[in-house]
Amino acid sequence: MPENIFKVNEEEYMLPGNRACQGCGLSLAYRYALKALREDTILTIPASCLTVLHGLYPTTSVTIPCLNCTFASTAASAAGLVAGLTATGKTNTTVVAFAGDGGTYDIGIQALSGAAERGTDFIFVCYDNEGYMNTGTQRSSATPMGALTTTTPILTKEQNKKDMLKIMEAHDIAYIATTSPAYPLDLYDKFVKAKRIRGTRYMQIHVPCPPGWGYPPRDTVKIARLAIETGVFVLFEVENGKFRFTGRSKSLAEKGNRLPLINYIERQDRFKKMSVEQLSRFQKFIDNKWHEYIKKAEA
Amino acid sequence: MEKRDKNISAMSTPAIGEAGKTGDWRDMKPVIDHSKCIPSVKKRAACYLCWLYCPEGVIKTGIPVEIDMDYCKGCGVCAEECPAKAITMINEGDDNG
């Protein structure tokens, strides 16, 4: 049992009785992200599952101030908040933009790239549930190959997932980290660390989605953990250009004992039409990615 | 009444149960067997992995561990993750499970 559990902030900023689905991976990750960010934070969120979690006017289920912005302008609104806070001398307040994968990979990428290029002092968090889950599971550029969505209903998605982390790395920003709700303490620590760093910070959380991915809600943590064990999602940090593996991915990289991809695929209905050929292409895609990461870690 | 900025026209106030009593969503409910639950057995603060993994934050870390049934959505993550297998999911309305 991890002893650090007693060091976690006990205050709950995400109140119970919200609109998140049963067993929502986002709601678990969000709980710990907010615990780590604490007071003195302003959130800005575009249209996403998170808006649903935040609730309908005039009540909200989150006790931290939040601005609801339009889909494409997440990072732009964060840049505006930072400018406003600087002008009024409130430099201790952290601005956090929290967008889904649609709001990061597809629609929000222009504003995010602009803000990262200007070096805006904020945290951009992408919670990656691999599709437009809020509007009913449409394909996004974060959807992995072989997945069924309502916009790829027959042939499954044919393209590989876009490497957003590499795009953010190319912006040469202060801090990049990936986390997963299967390891809440790792997620907590990374957010605490991100809050202390100045400059543009990009975090990515891999959040399983029971209705969108097609698995029973009780398996949320198990699926998130399998994504790490099979190497579909990798836990790492890039601090000032220095890459390093963290947590479970570190020991996987050292021992090279990743589980075969099928362990992760077989538990989800969205992959039920995946062909054997696609499966081996997906496995190769992951192997290549790991090869790249290991090289980067050694450099 | 909280002081409001006159420049803000629409502002929500935080409240528990924004979507109502979400306990209504359950079809299965978690039941803790305190003869297996680690904090109850050891009679000290320990484990609490159910609290750690609860997506809702409805589990209270105490001795014994308690679940707020008004808002527990019944996802069953706690029952899956409990290392002592002390939590079982039983059908809603089935009280002597």
Side-chain angles (χ1 to χ4, degrees), chain A residues 68-82:
Chain A
N68 284 94
C69 64
T70 56
F71 222 144
S73 67
T74 322
S77 70
L81 286 171
V82 172

Side-chain angles (χ1 to χ4, degrees), chain A residues 72 102-114 162 164 167 171:
Chain A
T104 309
Y105 282 65
D106 301 341
I107 303 171
I109 191 168
Q110 177 271 124
L112 171 58
S113 178
K162 178 156 93 185
M164 189 68 195
I167 296 175
H171 284 79

Side-chain angles (χ1 to χ4, degrees), chain A residues 252-268:
Chain A
L252 286 175
E254 279 162 7
K255 292 184 190 134
N257 54 350
R258 275 179 289 130
L259 291 175
L261 185 58
I262 188 77
N263 289 296
Y264 174 69
I265 300 289
E266 67 183 1
R267 282 173 170 269
Q268 299 170 53

Side-chain angles (χ1 to χ4, degrees), chain A residues 28 100 108 153 181 200 244 259 268 298:
Chain A
L28 176 56
T200 308
R244 69 181 194 96
L259 291 175
Q268 299 170 53
E298 283 167 357

